[in-house]
Amino acid sequence: MATMSTLFAKTPLPSRSLSKSNISHFAPPLTSLSFKQKTTAPHFKLRSIRAGLIEPDGGKLTELIVDKSLRDVRKREAATLPRIRLTKIDLQWVHVLSEGWASPLSGFMRESEFLQTLHFNSLRLDDGSVVNMSVPIVLAIDDEQKRRIGESTRVALVDSDDNVVAILNDIEIYKHPKEERIARTWGTTAPGLPYVDQAITYAGNWLIGGDLEVLEPIKYHDGLDRFRLSPAQLRDEFSKRNADAVFAFQLRNPVHNGHALLMTDTRRRLLEMGYQNPILLLHPLGGYTKADDVPLSWRMKQHEKVLEDGVLDPETTVVSIFPSPMHYAGPTEVQWHAKARINAGANFYIVGRDPAGMGHPVEKRDLYDADHGKKVLSMAPGLERLNILPFKVAAYDKTQGKMAFFDPSRAKDFLFISGTKMRTLARSKENPPDGFMCPGGWKVLVEYYDSLTPADNGKVPVPA
């Protein structure tokens, strides 16, 4: 059975960070098919997309990696510039920008882009067209860093070891309105928001934007770089597989058979629509996640077992890592997740219950309404070209001994296994009901929770 490593080729506001574009027209609604489910959400229209891959936002990928022939020149220039040291999350955003996930952005946001993102969840390009952008991609600096920059129009960005990562050009420095940013992104300023605590609260009081030149592709040297395919690499892979539709599924949790049922059923429905070779992009989030999420290395090992055990078909599935940090900002953030997948070539996006959500950090309730994510995606500015596929609810069918789509007419036959229940079973090394998760995948999950036993050095081991 193939492993995942064999699945890929070897692989009118002035705004200087936005390139001019001729964005493709929006396709008309397709009324011949809808994914039926009981919901109070607006009608989810499937929009006809011509065979082939959907164009990136702005008409082309905005890739920001310096050509090899210029790298030495840029390194010499960087040595003469004021330096800004990047945090781990800052570096992840450099990665995102460098590969074109945020196309047509050409760097960290200047103030006009920041304000459009906060207030409109979109950016207006020079030609008047609109692209979605729902989360600020910004770089914070403190007073001392601002003083050192002085009158310079360029700065060098360095990693934790002082290695030059990138140059930021034609810079603009403006105030960092933290409270407004938090309130508009998360809909609350309650204490305990993970990303806020990690990346905003103690960040500088200024933001610096500009055009980014990244000296080399971002690598992490953690054994997973082979899975970090850029939008251009994914588009090449989809083309090699002759994909005429790409449907994306993001997750930050282990894959169980309910997820697999949803993904295989989506492919079946796309085939019924007349597509010849729809390809699944299984796209786990690989940037910052909160402490109680399963770490990326363990999730990737679990996903590999799902493919090895035949739960998903390796011939019609591409597994890759999405490098973005996670905000847990619900309906606001899920727009970013969907927009980025357009740039990777996806024209269908599967959305489930409470996407990008979390429990309220203070009160005992969910932070967001569970249905708002899919409703917002169906109406979001700049996402009109993307077909939104709402989840069907899957649960464990006790009469069939497997995961199945929930039938409310015989609700007593179904068992809902929550994430909390799954974690409890894995920690106690108990097995879930047969058919809930492939054996190999469950074994990885048990190994992960077993590894959480405090070690002498206080560190959690990574999978072998």
Side-chain angles (χ1 to χ4, degrees), residues 56 60-65 92-103 105 212 214 216-220 225 227-235 283 320-324 340 343-344:
K60 65 178 181 179
L61 287 174
T62 305
E63 298 176 283
L64 307 177
I65 300 173
Q92 291 168 1
W93 283 122
V94 170
H95 185 177
V96 166
L97 289 165
S98 72
E99 293 183 340
W101 295 101
S103 295
L105 269 184
L212 196 64
V214 181
E216 296 182 24
I218 303 298
K219 302 295 180 185
Y220 299 84
D225 284 333
F227 298 124
R228 293 185 174 95
L229 301 187
S230 69
Q233 290 171 317
L234 284 168
R235 285 172 171 273
H283 216 196
S320 181
I321 294 171
F322 178 45
S324 176
N343 287 330

Side-chain angles (χ1 to χ4, degrees), residues 6 83 207 255 258 287 463:
T6 66
R83 292 188 165 205
L207 297 175
V255 175

Side-chain angles (χ1 to χ4, degrees), residues 222-224 294-302 304 444-445 447-448 451 460-464:
D222 57 358
L224 299 176
V294 177
L296 177 64
S297 56
W298 289 95
R299 283 185 279 130
M300 292 304 291
K301 185 176 181 181
Q302 195 268 350
E304 188 165 13
V444 172
L445 204 55
E447 289 174 355
Y448 164 64
S451 77
V460 175
V462 297

Side-chain angles (χ1 to χ4, degrees), residues 84-99 101 108 137-140 157-167 195 199 212-221 225 228 286-288 323-325:
I84 295 174
R85 180 171 290 180
L86 301 172
T87 67
K88 185 176 180 179
I89 290 178
D90 292 336
L91 186 61
Q92 291 168 1
W93 283 122
V94 170
H95 185 177
V96 166
L97 289 165
S98 72
E99 293 183 340
W101 295 101
F108 284 106
I137 302 180
V138 292
L139 181 61
L157 308 183
V158 301
D159 63 17
S160 58
D161 296 321
D162 282 334
N163 299 309
V164 177
V165 172
I167 295 175
Y195 186 92
L212 196 64
E213 291 182 290
V214 181
L215 300 191
E216 296 182 24
I218 303 298
K219 302 295 180 185
Y220 299 84
H221 308 292
D225 284 333
R228 293 185 174 95
Y288 163 79
S324 176

Side-chain angles (χ1 to χ4, degrees), residues 451-462:
S451 77
L452 295 181
T453 303
D456 292 339
N457 61 5
K459 294 183 179 180
V460 175
V462 297

Side-chain angles (χ1 to χ4, degrees), residues 173-250:
I173 298 175
Y174 55 101
K175 288 184 178 180
H176 186 182
K178 294 182 184 180
E179 184 178 22
E180 182 182 6
R181 177 185 174 188
I182 295 165
R184 289 193 173 274
T185 303
W186 281 270
T188 182
T189 56
L193 297 167
Y195 186 92
V196 171
D197 290 347
Q198 193 74 22
I200 299 179
T201 300
Y202 302 105
N205 293 323
W206 304 92
L207 297 175
I208 181 170
D211 299 320
L212 196 64
E213 291 182 290
V214 181
L215 300 191
E216 296 182 24
I218 303 298
K219 302 295 180 185
Y220 299 84
H221 308 292
D222 57 358
L224 299 176
D225 284 333
R226 69 189 187 279
F227 298 124
R228 293 185 174 95
L229 301 187
S230 69
Q233 290 171 317
L234 284 168
R235 285 172 171 273
D236 287 345
E237 182 64 25
F238 298 144
S239 295
K240 277 189 266 185
R241 297 192 187 207
N242 296 314
D244 57 356
V246 176
F247 57 109
F249 185 75
Q250 172 175 296

Side-chain angles (χ1 to χ4, degrees), residues 1-2 257 302-314 437-443:
M1 183 67 67
N257 288 352
Q302 195 268 350
H303 299 345
E304 188 165 13
K305 293 299 181 183
V306 167
L307 284 160
E308 289 179 357
D309 287 3
V311 177
L312 294 172
D313 183 0
M437 185 182 292
C438 67
W442 183 254
K443 183 180 178 182

Side-chain angles (χ1 to χ4, degrees), residues 363-380:
E363 304 171 16
K364 291 185 177 180
R365 62 177 177 85
D366 288 341
L367 184 54
Y368 305 106
D369 184 292
D371 289 328
H372 282 183
K374 60 188 176 186
K375 291 179 181 180
V376 166
L377 279 183
S378 74
M379 302 178 286

